[in-house]
């Protein structure tokens, strides 16, 4: 496994005092102090003191969030996002690790592209960033990439994200080769012979006169992917599950292979009702679905059938989104609004517990990348500090991302990420809590 890349961490000791600490797997749930030293969690408990302290009374402290699905658009589309802005957006959302997708320009399908990206990450990213290389050359679903060489160059996993693999035989070979190379496969499940429209094929598409994408476009490909994952034994992660049936299929196959899955904040909180606005903002792939799918996917996340949340952070320039739905590029920003949207909609709405949300955003994806998403002593000091009582309205002009295509712009949020720490280094500090402006610091 390739070690994550970050800028050199701050090694000074820091004690964060009196936050409500929540780390479900280790049973931490209460007012505690967290000592960070040399970039790692040194101690969690009561009455811990240190040479440098901040008072975090009133805040919640979670293991940093881990986003297994992000498009940082590098190389080649840096007008939408680059590594520095992608990392800043991640940090602003409490994410301390991110897995980058390969549908870039050029596609990440050659070792030289992987090693170039790894170098840029080490110089420009303030959060941990893992590289996904393509499963097939040019994401075309035809010729396998040289996965062993891609891994040697620094790839962490492989995917053709953005496109589904159309031939089951080709996908089966890809899984077998990825398994032999020791690389997990992230699967974007889409049958392109079925997905010929732009929004979910339902009543809202019909009323708006828009061509629909039936749920079967995802479900058929999900079934194929799961059957092949079970048969090959490859490590397969099904990403952005958006239908109730695909979630049920994952549930059926989950224990029959090395299989995991995620869904997104937008499929958990929004529905295809938004299509009636005709606003290109709401085009995304897979498309927003009806209430039953949103609730079915939410129930599957709650029950652990779906393992975690990943955002599919997909920045697009305003000229690609400020268009009618049929002409707009698909995708939403994800990093900055993920936790606030899910907390506001699902936790305060009584549909998901706060510990399960933290498990789904930190601990489970942290286990998937390995060694992240935990507050146990010795773990990397990757931390999200959150004010669950702060109410704010999402403003497109104040985003850390280079783009502003968030479907939550103008929406009221009931929680805010106020601080993010990666390997002991402070990478986000919206209220200057670490410089002492709000809570005070003893140096
Ligand atoms: O909406 C999407 N946008 N879905 C994808 O699978 C790809 C992504 C992008 O790269 O813009």
């Amino acid at each position: 496994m390739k070690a994550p890349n970050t800028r050199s961490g701050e090694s000074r000791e820091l004690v964060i005092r009196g936050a409500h600490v929540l780390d479900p797997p280790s049973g931490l749930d209460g007012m505690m102090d967290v000592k960070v030293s040399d970039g790692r969690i040194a101690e969690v408990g009561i009455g811990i003191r240190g040479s440098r302290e901040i008072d975090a009374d009133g805040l919640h402290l979670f293991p940093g969030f881990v986003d297994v699905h992000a498009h940082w658009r590098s190389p080649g589309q840096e007008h939408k996002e680059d590594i520095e802005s992608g990392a800043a957006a991640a940090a602003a959302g409490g994410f301390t690790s991110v897995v980058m997708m390969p549908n870039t320009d050029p596609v990440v399908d050659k070792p030289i592209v992987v090693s170039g990206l790894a170098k840029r990450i080490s110089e420009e990213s303030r959060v941990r960033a893992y590289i996904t290389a393509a499963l097939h050359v040019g994401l075309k679903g035809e010729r396998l990439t040289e996965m062993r060489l891609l891994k040697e160059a620094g790839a962490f996993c492989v995917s053709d994200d953005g496109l589904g693999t159309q031939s089951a035989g080709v996908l089966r070979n890809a899984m077998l080769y990825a398994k032999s190379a020791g690389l997990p496969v992230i699967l974007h499940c889409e049958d392109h012979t079925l997905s010929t429209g732009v929004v979910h094929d339902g009543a809202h598409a019909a009323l708006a006169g828009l061509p629909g994408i039936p749920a079967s476009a995802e479900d058929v490909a999900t079934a194929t992917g799961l059957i092949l994952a079970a048969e090959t034994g490859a490590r397969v992660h099904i990403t952005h599950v958006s239908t109730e049936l695909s979630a049920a299929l994952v549930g059926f196959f989950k224990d029959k292979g090395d299989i995991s899955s995620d869904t997104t904040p937008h499929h958990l909180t929004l529905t295809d009702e938004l299509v009636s606005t005709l606003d290109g903002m709401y085009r995304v792939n897979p498309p927003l679905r009806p209430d039953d799918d949103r609730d079915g996917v939410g129930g599957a996340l709650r029950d652990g059938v779906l393992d975690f949340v990943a955002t599919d952070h997909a920045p697009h320039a305003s000229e690609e989104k400020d268009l009618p739905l049929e002409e707009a590029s698909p995708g939403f920003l994800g990093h900055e609004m993920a936790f606030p949207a899910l907390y506001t909609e699902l936790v305060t709405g009584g549909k998901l517990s706060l510990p399960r949300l933290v498990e789904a955003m930190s601990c489970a994806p942290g286990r998937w990348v390995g060694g992240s998403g935990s507050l146990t002593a010795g773990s990397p000091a990757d931390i999200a500090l959150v004010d669950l009582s702060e109410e704010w309205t999402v403003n497109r002009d104040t985003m850390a991302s280079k783009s502003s295509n968030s479907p939550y712009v103008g929406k009221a949020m009931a929680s805010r990420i106020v601080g993010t720490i990666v390997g002991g280094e402070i990478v986000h500090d919206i209220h200057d809590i670490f410089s002492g402006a709000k809570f005070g610091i003893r140096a």
Side-chain angles (χ1 to χ4, degrees):
M1 182 186 304
K2 171 100 173 76
N5 302 289
T6 52
R7 282 185 182 168
S8 59
E10 186 173 282
S11 60
R12 281 188 300 162
E13 175 187 287
L14 173 68
V15 179
I16 304 165
R17 304 206 67 227
H20 186 131
V21 175
L22 191 52
D23 182 26
S26 51
L28 298 171
D29 185 358
M31 293 268 283
M32 279 170 232
D33 311 319
V34 176
K35 181 186 264 189
V36 166
S37 183
D38 290 328
R40 298 202 164 261
I41 305 287
E43 202 181 347
V44 182
I46 292 166
I48 300 172
R49 306 305 304 235
S51 54
R52 190 165 161 257
E53 299 179 347
I54 67 152
D55 178 359
D57 185 22
L59 300 179
H60 277 68
L61 187 153
F62 308 134
F65 305 139
V66 177
D67 196 347
V68 169
H69 192 145
H71 300 269
W72 280 4
R73 305 300 189 208
S74 297
Q77 294 183 309
E78 282 86 355
H79 62 290
K80 301 183 183 197
E81 198 79 289
D82 59 25
I83 291 169
E84 193 171 348
S85 66
F95 288 96
T96 52
S97 295
V98 164
V99 178
M100 294 167 66
M101 289 298 137
N103 58 340
T104 49
D105 184 14
V107 168
V108 186
D109 60 3
K110 292 185 186 61
I112 186 75
V113 183
V114 174
S115 52
L117 204 46
K119 182 168 182 295
R120 286 180 57 190
I121 289 167
S122 69
E123 289 165 0
E124 295 165 33
S125 180
R126 302 195 74 200
V127 306
R128 300 177 202 277
Y130 297 82
I131 298 169
T132 308
L135 196 56
H136 295 98
V137 175
L139 309 174
K140 289 194 175 132
E142 292 164 1
R143 265 191 312 132
L144 293 178
T145 51
E146 292 281 4
M147 295 185 209
R148 289 165 192 274
L149 300 179
L150 292 166
K151 186 181 182 190
E152 267 172 43
F156 178 76
C157 52
V158 278
S159 178
D160 283 346
D161 183 64
L163 294 168
T165 307
Q166 299 310 289
S167 156
V170 169
L171 183 57
R172 189 174 184 279
N173 281 340
M175 285 186 189
L176 288 169
Y177 192 37
K179 185 182 172 192
S180 77
L183 287 168
V185 180
I186 297 183
L187 271 195
H188 169 119
C189 296
E190 179 173 0
D191 183 319
H192 295 283
T193 64
L194 292 164
S195 66
T196 51
V198 294
V199 296
H200 175 78
D201 189 24
H204 293 290
L207 282 172
L210 289 165
I213 305 173
S216 58
E218 177 174 340
D219 297 334
V220 165
T222 302
T224 303
L226 288 164
I227 291 166
L228 297 176
E231 189 176 73
T232 60
R235 186 175 166 206
V236 172
H237 179 79
I238 311 283
T239 194
H240 51 44
V241 174
S242 76
T243 72
E244 192 175 14
L245 178 54
S246 282
L249 289 168
V250 168
F252 179 82
F253 279 97
K254 211 172 156 51
D255 300 330
K256 297 179 172 44
D258 194 352
I259 294 166
S260 55
S261 58
D262 71 68
T263 185
T264 72
H266 45 277
H267 291 112
L268 289 162
T269 59
L270 306 174
T271 68
D272 66 338
E273 203 183 339
L274 289 163
V275 162
S276 58
T277 62
L278 303 179
D279 185 343
M281 170 64 81
Y282 300 113
R283 183 165 178 193
V284 66
N285 196 21
L288 297 177
R289 305 288 189 188
D291 291 13
D292 286 354
D293 286 312
R294 179 200 54 193
D295 296 345
V297 165
L301 181 74
R302 180 197 59 221
D303 298 343
V305 171
L306 300 180
D307 300 279
F308 52 81
V309 169
T311 74
D312 197 358
H313 179 80
H316 287 293
S318 47
E319 58 270 24
E320 295 161 313
K321 286 303 265 183
D322 294 346
L323 291 169
L325 260 161
E326 275 178 279
E327 293 161 37
S329 298
F332 297 156
L333 294 186
H335 293 324
E336 294 176 66
M337 256 51 76
F339 181 88
L342 292 169
Y343 179 78
T344 306
E345 187 68 25
L346 300 186
V347 179
T348 69
K351 294 179 183 156
L352 195 69
S353 70
L354 181 60
R356 177 63 191 135
L357 180 57
V358 172
E359 167 73 23
M361 290 191 65
S362 304
C363 315
R367 285 191 295 272
W368 193 86
V369 298
S372 288
S374 171
L375 295 176
T376 52
S379 301
D382 294 357
I383 288 168
L385 268 179
V386 183
D387 187 346
L388 295 184
S389 67
E390 182 168 342
E391 297 186 354
W392 59 294
T393 301
V394 180
N395 180 341
R396 71 185 288 163
D397 300 324
T398 55
M399 298 196 186
S401 171
K402 275 195 180 178
S403 297
S404 57
N405 55 308
S406 166
Y408 302 107
V409 167
K411 297 273 180 296
M413 294 289 163
S415 60
R416 191 150 210 189
I417 313 301
V418 295
T420 307
I421 298 176
V422 178
E425 183 188 4
I426 295 152
V427 296
H428 172 69
D429 184 14
I430 196 167
H431 294 319
D432 292 332
I433 55 177
F434 293 101
S435 61
K438 188 167 180 192
F439 292 100
I441 193 160
R442 296 181 358 155

